[in-house]
């Protein structure tokens, strides 16, 4: 710093001399530049350069002070981190609760390491957890600690949070156990993983949550007999995956959800008993897929849903003793595909559904002792196709259906021992059986 200051003084002196010489050369002969004028000019130049030097020095001093303050803050944050982490590992549940809040406050204050603090809270939920109070491994107070972590994360994922929002943080709950939990109203914009997680509580709520960007995965997650709800949630970007998830007697609900751009997939998922409800959901772009999914004695309902755009696909899905319901649904666009699906002893119902557009396809479907009904359906547009479908036993019915437009196709469909009721429809040409 002093070397730079000395050089600056020399430069100022030289600049003053040069300025004095230039002004003497430019001065008119009749009014020569006197020595006092040159001295005053040199002093003025020195004053300007001195002020600039003082500014440089003050700026440098400020930077040094800021660096010292930053290092002091970093040291303080590191000490707070160590304290909070130690509390989270304490034997006493009350101390662990204090550690949860301490780590959350640190995440709000320490923006540079916010992700690290969030990772610690997520890692706590990934630790082995015995939720059954009758087990010898059950730890008293542990459930309260874990529920507090979920609540803290939920509070930081709300739309009202601004500077301290964790919405863009990565949340890793892989292999975690959730004994209940409330994520309602959360806004997910980053990468979130519930892969291989166990949901064992009575209720896990994602009601009114927003899945706006990034990827949320429930891949291979296991859902017990409780309820998992996404009611009135918004799926308007990114991907939500339930691929290979297992639902055992679960109540999974997406009632009133807005399914916009983006994808929701249940590929190779297994639903054994329980219900899947997308009643009054609105399909407005994107894809919802159940390819190769298995439904065993389960019920999937899309009652009063609105299909405006996008697609819903059950390609090669298998239904055994299960019900798939689109009662009172309204189709104005998009596509519903059950191509190559296999139904055994199940029911597919479109009771009072309205078809003003879009495409519903059951092409190449195999129906054994199953029922497919369009009772009281109204057709004014769009297409319903059962081309190359195979019906063995069971029933196909269009009783009291109103056909004022659109197209209902049965090209090369085969009926063997099935009870077929056409209502106002003409029997298919080219169908057999």
């Amino acid at each position: 710093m002093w070397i730079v200051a000395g050089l600056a003084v020399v430069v100022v002196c030289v600049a003053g001399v040069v300025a004095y010489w230039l002004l003497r050369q430019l001065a008119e002969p009749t009014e020569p530049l006197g020595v006092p004028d040159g001295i005053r000019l040199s002093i003025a130049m020195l004053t300007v350069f001195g002020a600039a030097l003082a500014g440089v020095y003050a700026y440098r001093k400020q930077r040094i002070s800021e660096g010292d303050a930053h290092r002091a803050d970093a040291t303080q944050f590191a000490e707070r981190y160590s304290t909070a982490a130690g509390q989270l590992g304490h034997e006493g549940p009350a101390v662990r609760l204090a550690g949860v809040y301490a780590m959350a406050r640190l995440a709000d204050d320490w923006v540079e390491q916010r992700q690290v603090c969030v990772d610690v809270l997520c890692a706590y939920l990934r630790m082995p957890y015995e939720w059954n109070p009758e087990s010898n491994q059950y730890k008293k107070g542990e459930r309260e600690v874990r529920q507090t972590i979920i609540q803290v994360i939920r509070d930081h994922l709300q739309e009202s949070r601004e500077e301290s929002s964790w919405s863009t943080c990565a949340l890793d709950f892989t292999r975690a156990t959730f004994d209940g939990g409330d994520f309602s109203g959360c806004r997910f914009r980053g990468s979130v993983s519930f892969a291989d997680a166990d949901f064992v509580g009575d209720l896990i709520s994602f009601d009114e949550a927003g899945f706006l960007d990034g990827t949320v995965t429930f891949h291979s997650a296991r859902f017990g007999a409780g309820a998992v709800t996404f009611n009135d949630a918004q799926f308007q970007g990114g991907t939500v995956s339930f691929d290979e998830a297992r639902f055992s007697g679960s109540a999974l609900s997406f009632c009133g959800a807005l399914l916009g751009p983006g994808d929701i997939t249940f590929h190779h998922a297994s639903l054994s008993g329980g219900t899947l409800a997308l009643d009054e959901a609105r399909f407005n772009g994107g894809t919802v897929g159940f390819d190769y999914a298995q439904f065993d004695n389960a019920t999937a309902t899309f009652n009063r849903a609105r299909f405006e755009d996008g697609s819903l696909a059950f390609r090669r899905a298998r239904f055994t003793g299960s019900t798939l319901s689109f009662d009172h649904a309204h189709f104005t666009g998009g596509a519903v595909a059950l191509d190559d699906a296999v139904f055994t002893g199940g029911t597919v119902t479109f009771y009072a559904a309205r078809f003003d557009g879009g495409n519903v396809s059951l092409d190449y479907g195999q129906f054994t002792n199953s029922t497919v009904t369009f009772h009281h359906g109204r057709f004014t547009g769009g297409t319903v196709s059962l081309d190359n479908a195979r019906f063995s036993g069971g029933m196909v019915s269009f009783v009291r259906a109103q056909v004022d437009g659109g197209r209902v196709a049965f090209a090369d469909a085969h009926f063997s021992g099935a009870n077929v009721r056409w209502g106002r429809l003409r029997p298919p040409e080219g169908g057999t059986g």
Side-chain angles (χ1 to χ4, degrees):
M1 187 65 186
W2 293 111
I3 295 176
V4 174
L7 292 176
V9 171
V10 174
V11 170
V12 169
C13 294
V14 173
V17 174
V18 172
Y20 173 75
W21 181 81
L22 288 175
L23 288 175
R24 290 200 59 182
Q25 295 297 321
L26 296 175
E28 295 182 2
T30 57
E31 297 181 2
L33 185 65
V35 174
D37 294 330
I39 294 174
R40 284 194 295 270
L41 178 61
S42 299
I43 293 174
M45 295 294 294
L46 289 172
T47 302
V48 172
F49 282 100
L53 179 62
V56 172
Y57 177 77
Y59 173 74
R60 175 61 179 172
K61 185 177 181 181
Q62 180 181 359
R63 289 295 302 272
I64 293 175
S65 298
E66 290 177 350
D68 293 339
H70 181 75
R71 284 188 291 272
D73 289 341
T75 300
Q76 182 186 29
F77 287 147
E79 292 175 353
R80 289 173 59 186
Y81 177 85
S82 298
T83 300
Q87 290 175 320
L88 286 172
H90 197 274
E91 288 294 328
V95 179
R96 296 200 299 274
L97 282 172
V100 172
Y101 290 113
M103 189 64 72
R105 287 194 299 270
L106 180 58
D108 292 339
D109 298 338
W110 201 3
V111 179
E112 296 175 351
Q113 298 296 329
R114 175 173 295 168
Q115 181 65 63
V116 174
C117 298
V118 173
D119 288 343
V120 172
L121 294 176
C122 293
Y124 191 99
L125 294 178
R126 296 198 304 270
M127 295 174 63
Y129 168 57
E130 178 52 61
W131 59 275
N132 186 356
E134 299 180 359
S135 172
N136 294 330
Q137 301 298 322
Y138 180 78
K139 295 174 62 176
K140 187 176 181 180
E142 180 64 9
R143 185 176 190 275
E144 286 71 18
V145 176
R146 300 172 75 89
Q147 289 295 312
T148 300
I149 293 177
I150 294 174
Q151 180 182 348
V152 166
I153 293 175
R154 172 191 176 275
D155 291 344
H156 284 82
L157 296 178
Q158 299 299 305
E159 190 172 14
S160 58
R161 307 289 296 211
E162 295 181 359
E163 295 182 359
S164 58
S165 174
W166 299 355
S167 293
T168 58
C169 291
L171 303 173
D172 187 1
F173 303 113
T174 303
R175 292 182 296 278
T177 299
F178 290 90
D179 181 15
D182 183 9
F183 291 93
S184 61
C186 292
R187 293 294 180 266
F188 297 98
R189 300 180 184 275
S191 174
V192 184
S193 174
F194 293 92
D196 291 301
D198 287 300
F199 294 87
V200 298
D202 293 333
L203 175 64
I204 307 291
S205 174
F206 292 87
D207 293 348
E208 299 182 355
F211 299 88
L212 308 177
D213 294 297
T215 300
V216 179
T217 177
F218 294 84
H219 188 280
S220 298
R222 292 165 292 277
F223 297 84
V228 182
T229 63
F230 294 82
N231 298 328
D232 297 309
Q234 298 180 19
F235 298 86
Q236 295 184 296
T239 300
V240 180
S241 170
F242 293 88
D243 295 350
E244 299 186 23
R246 298 292 180 264
F247 301 87
S248 301
S250 310
L252 185 61
S253 176
F254 293 81
C255 295
L258 175 60
L259 308 172
D263 299 322
I264 306 176
T265 62
F266 292 81
H267 301 327
H268 298 277
S270 173
L271 292 87
S272 178
T275 61
L276 168 64
L278 286 91
D279 300 339
E280 299 184 0
R282 180 181 175 184
F283 292 78
N284 189 20
T287 300
V288 180
F290 292 84
D291 296 353
Y292 297 94
Q294 296 186 14
F295 296 79
D296 296 318
N297 298 311
T299 299
T301 63
F302 298 81
N303 300 332
R304 293 183 173 83
R306 296 174 58 187
F307 295 86
E308 301 171 358
D309 196 2
S311 65
L312 170 64
F314 294 84
R315 296 182 180 90
R316 298 196 177 186
R318 290 182 173 272
F319 296 81
T320 303
S322 300
T323 297
L324 182 59
S325 172
F326 294 88
D327 295 349
H328 298 278
H330 189 187
F331 297 85
T332 59
V336 177
L338 288 96
D339 301 340
D340 293 302
V342 178
F343 290 82
T344 303
T347 300
V348 183
T349 172
F350 291 85
Y351 179 85
R354 181 174 177 179
F355 299 88
D356 295 327
N359 180 38
V360 177
S361 171
L362 291 84
D363 295 346
Y364 294 95
Q366 300 180 34
F367 301 86
T368 303
N369 296 321
S370 300
T371 300
V372 180
T373 66
F374 292 85
H375 291 170
H376 295 273
R378 182 176 178 181
F379 298 85
T380 61
T383 300
V384 175
S385 173
L386 292 92
D387 295 344
N388 295 287
R390 296 292 184 267
F391 295 88
S392 177
M395 180 178 67
V396 180
S397 177
F398 286 84
V399 172
R400 298 185 181 276
Q402 299 180 23
V403 182
D404 300 318
R407 177 173 176 266
V408 180
F410 295 86
D412 295 320
H414 182 84
F415 301 88
S416 176
N419 184 6
V420 183
R421 300 178 181 179
W422 301 114
R424 297 185 181 182
L425 290 179
R426 295 179 58 188
E429 297 180 1
T432 61

